[in-house]
Amino acid sequence: MELEGGCACRAVRYRLLAAPLIVHACHCRDCQRITGSAFVINIWIERRFVETGPVLPRSFKLTAGTGKAHEVFFCDACATTVWSRYHAPPGDTLFVRAGTLDRPEAVEPDVHIFTRSKLPWVVLPAGVPAFESMYGDFASVWSAESLARFRRNAAEHVR
Ligand SMILES: [Zn+2]
Ligand SMILES: [Zn+2]
């Protein structure tokens, strides 16, 4: 899977060098505000697999529900949010906004989270797992392959 994308003004460009670990649709209020929309589509992936062009996004920090930092990266020129980095999970991973892909139809959410603040008119697809908040048991949601990749990444980036 070759996924490329970038911001609206095309200054920030990126390419994903691996398949997503998992794709989240997050319906939390922060994601609604940041996107100005009903939910965000996040590709969770190791940072090393996000190859960036010459222009890097800037960032600001919010406090996530975990109490740890949620760093949001955006284009300095057009303010498109391109990815986030959550400091709570182990390892060095990013949450790349699937709406910034050149072909956003290339991915679909594997799981819907924070459905407690889902807008009432959003109808979740049948057969896709959904959780009121963040799920705790990764093994029941993730593929074995992604779980192995995630654990490997966490072991390589002990903080
Ligand atoms: Zn831009
Ligand atoms: Zn969220």
Side-chain angles (χ1 to χ4, degrees):
M1 184 172 358
E2 182 83 344
L3 297 175
E4 285 185 55
C7 66
C9 80
R10 299 187 68 85
V12 173
R13 295 288 300 166
Y14 65 83
R15 182 165 30 171
L16 305 185
L17 305 178
L21 290 165
I22 192 164
V23 180
H24 278 181
C26 184
H27 300 257
C28 86
R29 292 291 291 127
D30 275 346
C31 289
Q32 289 170 340
R33 288 194 181 95
I34 292 166
T35 59
S37 189
F39 58 90
V40 72
I41 313 159
N42 276 331
I43 296 171
W44 196 348
I45 189 169
E46 299 91 330
R47 188 162 66 103
R48 79 156 71 99
F49 293 142
V50 181
E51 183 182 78
T52 49
V55 178
L56 294 176
R58 289 180 56 199
S59 73
F60 62 89
K61 276 185 185 164
L62 299 171
T63 302
T66 57
K68 299 264 180 67
H70 168 199
E71 197 170 358
V72 184
F73 292 80
F74 62 97
C75 170
D76 198 20
C78 74
T80 303
T81 301
V82 285
W83 53 75
S84 285
R85 178 160 183 266
Y86 287 88
H87 290 222
D92 191 4
T93 58
L94 298 178
F95 288 68
V96 178
R97 303 288 189 266
T100 66
L101 291 171
D102 295 341
R103 292 179 50 245
E105 70 275 18
V107 300
E108 279 183 38
D110 296 304
V111 59
H112 289 259
I113 61 171
F114 287 96
T115 60
R116 67 186 180 204
S117 48
K118 178 182 81 60
L119 298 187
W121 51 263
V122 173
V123 180
L124 298 180
V128 179
F131 295 87
E132 286 267 294
S133 58
M134 178 59 180
Y135 51 87
D137 180 16
F138 278 42
S140 67
V141 179
W142 287 42
S143 72
E145 189 192 345
S146 288
L147 209 51
R149 267 171 60 186
F150 185 69
R151 288 185 176 138
R152 203 153 53 231
N153 183 262
E156 286 164 9
H157 296 90
V158 178
R159 278 179 274 141

